[in-house]
Amino acid sequence: MLKKVLLGSLGAALVLTAGILLGHFGIQRGSTAPDWVMDVTQDVDEALIQKFIAEVDNIAIQENLRELTKVPHMATSPGDEQTVQYMLKRWQDPDTGLDQAWREEYKVYLSFPDPNTPNKVTVVNPSDAVLYTAREKEKAYSSDQEDPEVVQPYAAYAPAGHPKGRLVYANQGKPSDYFLLNQTLNLTGTVAITRYGGEGRAGKAINAAPYGVIGVLVYTDPWDINDGKMSDNNETYPFSWYMPPSGVERGSFNTHYGDMLTPYLAAKDDTYRIPEKNITGIPPIPTQPIGFEDAYALICELGGEPAPSEWQGAFNCTYNFGGPGFKPTSNFNNSDVKLDIYNREELKNSANVMGVIRGSVEPDRYVIYGNHRDSWVHGAIDPSSGTSVMLEVTRVLGRMVKQGKWRPRRSIIFGSWGAEEFGLIGSTEYTEEYYSKLSERSVAYINVDIAVFANATLRASSSPSAQSVILKASKQVKTPGSDSTSVYDNWIRYFNRTSPAYGVIPNVGFLTGAGSDYAAFIHFLGITSMDISYTYDRTKTRARIYPAYHTAYDTFDYASKFIDPGFTSHQTVARTAGNVLMRLADSLLLPFNCSDYAETLEGYLSKAMELYTDGLASHMISIEPLQTAVRNFRSAAARLDQLIRDSDLANETPLKVRRINDQLMLLDRAFLDPVAFPDRYGFRHVIWASSKAGQATFPGLADAYTRAASTGLDSDWKEAHRQLSILVQAIQGAAHTLGDAI
């Protein structure tokens, strides 16, 4: 049905052609020109943006969230289907719905625990008598946790199995952690307990297996999530936002995104699927997450040498490496930890819900707004805060369209993605199925996943060229509880940076990883993307994320009491994201700034020169071509900026507007290289691919240089040179796209 969006494309071309003819024959604005001449020069209407901002209702968002969180809605569950039907009902509403709404199905590879045989973690003595059993389900504080559809905590895609071995503590499960641990202990046949953070979920097990570790436990340390709070008598939920002792972060333990069996192919019924044995990036050994109350019972009994100070956490005991195993004085002495994991994989039908408002002038140009729908349990914050915001944005815009008060210049596509929690599957399959169309016609992608982590300030990440439109929108929206302070002014107090061009401004981050559904749009398709949310004051908490994340406590009660009472931060996100959306959809000239991209490249270049110039030179590799490429990009961006300033686009040929807009729209595409990272699915953007080097610079070069400096191998220095050349060519190529047509 998405193809129907394109029916207006021929009409758009005719309008543009007619505009040229009118200009040729001297028809002037203000004469008896037909109405569509004014349509061609349609620009953003500030009064309509103010109307949108005024009509966004915090109580409507609250009620959206109440409805969305009535039942758990894990991907492909009955609750998920219930939310599919709810989205369709809202987007097909005759008074406030969209032009069209429909569902699109994919058959995807998912992982579930066995509901009839729960996963277990036990401590067993040499005769296999059980001395201790970890909780199988989280403690119930309300009827929400007692819902039969609450899935047991598990590590999705971890294999089934029954490993049994002496316990060791491996900190965050990073490669360096296992390396250090292996200097002290023989890890063969052990079970490692690790804490969340510092390494991806799957990596904690992938990094362990080469050392002979046969099973992995993962928990959230109260130091990392609760500011050290541990008691549910008065410190944690239900008394505050902190995770209670039995809380367990579920998650997908995979490294790649998208459906695992159909890389680069949309997962339809008849699509070719690779053999399951060929899947990479998932745990090779059984893995299970547990609550910190169970982690406490295990870690505080470990023997062996004390772990380094940076490995210590919030428990009132010394975190030891393990003997391996427990202390001689422990009741668990000479005992093993056993994992009984019964996970299983299935092919299941998962749905995206899609909706469209057709553009009036350029219907073949798409602004896409998305949020995933599936959750691990009730998912009030992740993802339903974002879904409730998206539904309010579509309600207000839909009513304006239905009442004939507004229709965007460009088409707007809304996506309610399925199976995101299992690896960004719904959005990725969508980009694979419509690869050609989206690559050619997409202006931008706006992602609002977790709309509100907390209620202190806006947080945004984006392609550099989209920074300006986000900042402009934030200046027009008031911060919650104030009639005078803008979101911009509040934001700059929490997150700021000094720009050579603008001075001190709010810090807009970069989309350097695959943390949400923007991944396929920016990394795979090269579509200018952004992620918008409200978050907490990081000077007041060490929490790496809101503490109920992926637990059974992420409920409407939790959201309304501890995250955003009154839902005014949700309202603020809706107003800001909707403002950005309208500007992208309505502006005659796309509100992108390529000189902001140049500033980012210059910052990356400066760091690369600081870190890598001497090391590369010692291997006869010059960084000068990279300097030249960045200079050329800056010059090309400046020339395009000057052309825009010198133009009166509302009174010039529409093809000139279209040409400049295409240059701005396609800029991120110019940084794609399909062979830059051949072993990393979906990462083709040479500026924003994720990196393990931990440096604010070009990711491929950073990773290759770090490896070469570590190994000293000639082959690794050659790869560093290759990555440098890839980077130079991409930046030079991007500069060429900003220049004249020939």
Side-chain angles (χ1 to χ4, degrees):
M1 294 184 69
L2 182 60
K3 295 177 182 177
K4 296 180 181 178
V5 176
L6 308 178
L7 292 177
S9 300
L10 178 59
L14 292 174
V15 167
L16 291 171
T17 303
I20 297 169
L21 293 174
L22 284 171
H24 179 73
F25 288 109
I27 297 177
Q28 302 296 317
R29 295 179 64 183
S31 67
T32 57
D35 291 342
W36 55 257
V37 175
M38 296 299 294
D39 291 340
V40 170
T41 58
Q42 174 185 327
D43 206 346
V44 66
D45 187 331
E46 295 292 343
L48 282 174
I49 287 183
Q50 291 303 318
K51 176 179 173 60
F52 168 82
I53 290 172
E55 291 189 5
V56 171
D57 185 358
N58 59 307
I59 301 304
I61 296 173
Q62 171 185 287
E63 295 311 305
N64 290 343
L65 190 67
R66 192 190 305 274
E67 181 67 30
L68 289 164
T69 56
K70 282 183 176 179
V71 296
H73 47 285
M74 187 168 64
T76 74
S77 69
D80 185 30
E81 177 60 25
Q82 188 171 316
T83 61
V84 168
Q85 295 303 322
Y86 181 62
M87 298 299 295
L88 287 170
K89 177 182 177 182
R90 290 289 300 273
W91 285 355
Q92 293 172 346
D93 185 277
D95 298 318
T96 61
L98 308 177
D99 290 334
Q100 289 176 274
W102 64 97
R103 66 188 294 159
E104 295 198 358
E105 298 277 348
Y106 299 97
K107 181 167 284 188
V108 300
Y109 182 75
L110 304 183
S111 169
F112 302 100
D114 186 336
N116 300 315
T117 312
N119 294 343
K120 288 187 177 182
V121 176
T122 54
V123 178
V124 296
N125 67 16
S127 61
D128 273 348
V130 175
L131 305 181
Y132 182 86
T133 303
R135 277 184 181 270
E136 294 175 11
K137 290 191 174 184
E138 292 148 301
K139 181 178 177 180
Y141 298 101
S142 73
S143 59
D144 288 326
Q145 290 84 50
E146 294 174 333
D147 191 301
E149 289 296 312
V150 172
V151 68
Q152 177 197 13
Y154 74 111
Y157 299 110
H162 306 278
K164 181 175 71 170
R166 298 300 165 92
L167 188 68
V168 295
Y169 171 57
N171 192 31
Q172 296 176 325
K174 303 186 296 292
S176 59
D177 294 334
Y178 287 111
F179 178 81
L180 177 61
L181 190 59
N182 192 56
Q183 303 304 300
T184 304
L185 301 171
N186 178 2
L187 298 181
T188 301
T190 61
V191 171
I193 184 167
T194 64
R195 61 206 270 186
Y196 276 117
E199 176 64 68
R201 296 186 188 99
K204 297 176 189 298
I206 293 171
N207 298 335
Y211 291 98
V213 176
I214 58 175
V216 172
L217 299 175
V218 189
Y219 79 101
T220 304
D221 198 278
W223 181 263
D224 302 322
I225 201 75
N226 276 9
D227 297 313
K229 303 291 193 301
M230 293 177 55
S231 173
D232 62 352
N233 290 328
N234 56 9
E235 292 181 325
T236 68
Y237 185 82
F239 302 98
S240 76
W241 82 323
Y242 291 121
M243 176 192 284
S246 67
V248 183
E249 178 184 322
R250 298 151 179 81
S252 182
F253 282 61
N254 57 336
T255 302
H256 309 306
Y257 63 88
D259 179 63
M260 295 185 190
L261 295 182
T262 59
Y264 299 110
L265 298 170
K268 297 295 187 177
D269 286 353
D270 55 356
T271 300
Y272 167 76
R273 287 172 167 79
I274 66 173
E276 290 185 37
K277 64 182 177 62
N278 290 355
I279 293 174
T280 60
I282 60 176
I285 54 180
T287 305
Q288 176 69 18
I290 60 175
F292 68 74
E293 67 176 0
D294 290 316
Y296 176 89
L298 298 174
I299 288 174
C300 288
E301 296 297 316
L302 280 174
E305 297 179 13
S309 58
E310 59 269 23
W311 288 30
Q312 301 298 314
F315 300 153
N316 59 352
C317 66
T318 299
Y319 290 44
N320 295 326
F321 285 138
F326 300 105
K327 302 172 186 174
T329 56
S330 170
N331 291 333
F332 300 156
N333 180 38
N334 205 31
S335 297
D336 292 328
V337 169
K338 184 181 181 186
L339 281 63
D340 291 298
I341 307 301
Y342 300 95
N343 296 346
R344 61 191 187 188
E345 289 69 51
E346 301 179 51
L347 285 176
K348 302 274 284 187
N349 287 323
S350 177
N352 291 338
V353 180
M354 307 303 301
V356 168
I357 299 176
R358 284 187 296 275
S360 60
V361 179
E362 298 181 82
D364 62 331
R365 290 292 180 260
Y366 313 147
V367 181
I368 308 170
Y369 182 118
N371 156 258
H372 75 95
R373 187 188 61 258
D374 66 300
S375 64
W376 284 112
V377 193
H378 292 84
I381 300 303
D382 183 13
S384 300
S385 63
T387 308
S388 62
V389 162
M390 181 165 65
L391 283 170
E392 179 61 2
V393 169
T394 58
R395 181 191 69 84
V396 176
L397 295 182
R399 183 166 62 182
M400 291 166 64
V401 170
K402 299 292 186 183
Q403 292 176 346
K405 297 179 179 178
W406 173 76
R407 181 165 289 280
R409 178 185 182 92
R410 303 175 184 92
S411 294
I412 301 175
I413 300 173
F414 293 97
S416 174
W417 314 120
E420 185 268 0
E421 295 293 5
F422 287 86
L424 317 181
I425 292 177
S427 58
T428 303
E429 302 315 298
Y430 173 76
T431 60
E432 290 172 340
E433 181 170 13
Y434 297 104
Y435 173 85
S436 298
K437 184 189 302 183
L438 295 174
S439 295
E440 294 294 327
R441 300 172 181 175
S442 298
V443 169
Y445 175 69
I446 302 170
N447 193 66
V448 183
D449 180 346
I450 298 175
V452 180
F453 291 84
N455 56 6
T457 180
L458 192 75
R459 181 178 74 176
S461 299
S462 76
S463 304
S465 55
Q467 169 188 271
S468 57
V469 68
I470 297 172
L471 295 181
K472 184 165 187 175
S474 71
K475 290 178 180 179
Q476 292 188 307
V477 178
K478 296 296 184 286
T479 196
S482 174
D483 293 330
S484 58
T485 303
S486 69
V487 167
Y488 180 98
D489 292 333
N490 183 63
W491 183 8
I492 204 171
R493 294 201 294 256
Y494 290 94
F495 302 103
N496 62 69
R497 69 178 182 90
T498 300
S499 160
Y502 309 114
V504 179
I505 59 173
N507 185 36
V508 178
F510 302 136
L511 299 172
T512 54
S516 189
D517 288 300
Y518 54 76
F521 291 94
I522 182 66
H523 297 304
F524 181 49
L525 293 181
I527 294 169
T528 299
S529 300
M530 62 204 77
D531 186 73
I532 300 172
S533 64
Y534 235 67
T535 191
Y536 42 86
D537 182 350
R538 295 186 179 274
T539 67
K540 295 182 177 179
T541 179
R542 288 190 303 270
R544 62 183 179 84
I545 198 168
Y546 72 97
Y549 175 68
H550 287 190
T551 73
Y553 308 109
D554 187 0
T555 61
F556 180 83
D557 175 75
Y558 181 84
S560 60
K561 286 182 179 177
F562 303 118
I563 298 296
D564 189 22
F567 290 84
T568 53
S569 294
H570 284 76
Q571 181 184 43
T572 301
V573 172
R575 287 170 167 170
T576 306
N579 188 333
V580 172
L581 175 64
M582 293 182 73
R583 292 186 181 282
L584 291 170
D586 272 349
S587 296
L588 175 65
L589 179 72
L590 288 175
F592 292 151
N593 189 320
C594 54
S595 287
D596 289 344
Y597 223 124
E599 182 177 297
T600 297
L601 294 178
E602 288 163 350
Y604 269 29
L605 172 65
S606 177
K607 177 60 71 172
M609 292 177 64
E610 173 192 334
L611 295 174
Y612 311 136
T613 300
D614 293 342
L616 291 171
S618 68
H619 289 81
M620 307 301 292
I621 305 169
S622 173
I623 205 168
E624 186 174 343
L626 182 59
Q627 296 174 270
T628 302
V630 172
R631 280 197 303 269
N632 289 344
F633 186 94
R634 166 62 80 176
S635 298
R639 288 192 296 271
L640 182 59
D641 284 347
Q642 188 62 50
L643 173 63
I644 292 170
R645 286 192 295 270
D646 292 344
S647 300
D648 181 13
L649 295 176
N651 292 302
E652 297 186 54
T653 166
L655 284 183
K656 182 176 182 180
V657 180
R658 182 81 163 197
R659 175 171 62 83
I660 294 174
N661 279 342
D662 281 354
Q663 289 176 290
L664 296 170
M665 179 183 84
L666 297 173
L667 178 56
D668 267 299
R669 264 55 131 222
F671 293 105
L672 297 182
D673 188 318
V675 298
F677 315 109
D679 298 328
R680 302 177 62 193
Y681 165 83
F683 285 96
R684 307 193 304 160
H685 200 300
V686 302
I687 309 298
W688 304 126
S690 61
S691 168
K692 291 188 175 182
Q695 300 292 342
T697 189
F698 307 107
L701 176 61
D703 284 349
Y705 181 94
T706 300
R707 179 175 178 83
S710 173
T711 67
L713 295 175
D714 183 62
S715 59
D716 288 336
W717 283 110
K718 288 179 178 178
E719 175 60 17
H721 195 178
R722 188 181 81 93
Q723 287 294 334
L724 178 63
S725 297
I726 287 170
L727 193 57
V728 169
Q729 181 166 298
I731 296 173
Q732 292 280 30
H736 292 319
T737 71
L738 298 179
D740 292 335
I742 302 298

